[in-house]
Amino acid sequence: GAGVSQTPSNKVTEKGKYVELRCDPISGHTALYWYRQSLGQGPEFLIYFQGTGAADDSGLPNDRFFAVRPEGSVSTLKIQRTERGDSAVYLCASSLQSGIDTQYFGPGTRLTVL
Amino acid sequence: DAKTTQPNSMESNEEEPVHLPCNHSTISGTDYIHWYRQLPSQGPEYVIHGLTSNVNNRMASLAIAEDRKSSTLILHRATLRDAAVYYCILRDVVGAGNMLTFGGGTRLMVKP
């Protein structure tokens, strides 16, 4: 079956611009996660949705970052006034339920802020 | 949160077994031991998990020490496609967090 998909695969933007990153989870998965991975490091948690609501957004670095999942399926990560330090691979994962269910990751979106 | 310690890198020859160690001396009784791996330019993928007993699946085996303070991921015959970063992660079935907390992992290099 179809896995987690993320679009775009690559995004290049200029400092100060607004970007949106999209995640399509596996159909029927109620939990959705966003992570950020800088070069040479492991992924870092950003935010977790259970259904439509953000159950834990403790990993969002500041108020320039925001994510939504209005219908409990597709999610969009939004970054305002991008900075060069936001350059990273943004990974999305979904799981059937929350808790310790296996998380299935998408291929990521590589964001480059010039 | 209980943390894990892994070697930064390991090397193996193709078609030989590989033992990837992980130390987790502060593990709690409700922590499951999970392994994920990340192939180049891909998102992480689940490998295996266990609580107390050794586990086997089609990808690997997980050997858990009797005191649970360490574990070993075993790839029985490494292939070039197994070259990846392997992450050992503790997940508390009772705790507040549902996210995965990744450390630096072990970069496995497989030589032909």
Side-chain angles (χ1 to χ4, degrees):
Chain A
V4 177
S5 62
Q6 293 186 246
T7 54
S9 55
N10 281 284
K11 176 70 177 179
V12 181
T13 190
E14 294 179 343
K15 180 175 178 293
K17 298 290 188 183
Y18 168 84
V19 297
E20 289 189 351
L21 311 179
R22 177 187 168 108
C23 172
D24 280 85
I26 293 172
S27 178
H29 280 196
T30 64
L32 185 145
Y33 306 81
W34 284 98
Y35 296 84
R36 178 168 73 171
Q37 186 170 27
S38 300
L39 194 62
Q41 299 184 16
E44 293 179 308
F45 168 75
L46 295 176
I47 187 170
Y48 146 60
F49 287 89
Q50 181 58 47
T52 60
D56 185 346
D57 64 358
S58 62
L60 294 178
N62 52 59
D63 61 7
R64 295 187 298 106
F65 288 75
F66 188 72
V68 295
R69 194 186 185 200
E71 298 179 356
S73 178
V74 170
S75 176
T76 305
L77 178 66
K78 308 179 182 200
I79 310 174
Q80 298 177 321
R81 305 183 304 279
T82 52
E83 300 177 357
R84 292 195 180 87
D86 298 335
S87 296
V89 175
Y90 289 81
L91 294 161
C92 175
S94 70
S95 63
L96 189 59
Q97 302 283 349
S98 57
I100 63 167
D101 276 6
T102 296
Q103 294 186 16
Y104 297 87
F105 284 79
T109 293
R110 180 175 298 280
L111 175 66
T112 303
V113 182
L114 301 176
Chain B
D1 292 338
K3 295 188 187 302
T4 62
T5 305
Q6 300 177 252
N8 289 336
S9 64
M10 290 185 65
E11 209 170 76
S12 170
N13 293 317
E14 196 175 14
E15 298 193 3
E16 290 186 356
V18 182
H19 290 229
L20 297 164
C22 181
N23 288 320
H24 29 77
S25 59
T26 60
I27 191 170
S28 75
T30 52
D31 280 327
Y32 278 74
I33 302 158
H34 286 242
W35 285 80
Y36 281 73
R37 72 178 185 180
Q38 187 170 23
L39 280 64
S41 300
Q42 294 187 27
E45 65 174 350
Y46 167 81
V47 178
I48 199 167
H49 78 280
L51 183 62
T52 57
S53 304
N54 295 345
V55 184
N56 299 295
N57 66 21
R58 64 174 180 81
M59 290 181 70
S61 296
L62 177 60
I64 301 173
E66 196 169 333
D67 64 4
R68 301 209 325 125
K69 294 183 186 298
S70 65
S71 60
T72 302
L73 180 70
I74 302 166
L75 306 179
H76 295 285
R77 288 178 71 241
T79 69
L80 297 178
R81 287 172 296 182
D82 291 322
V85 179
Y86 287 78
Y87 296 99
C88 171
I89 299 168
L90 300 183
R91 301 192 74 189
D92 188 350
V93 68
V94 173
N98 293 282
M99 75 290 287
L100 295 169
T101 303
F102 292 84
T106 296
R107 181 173 299 278
L108 175 65
M109 292 168 281
V110 181
K111 296 185 295 184

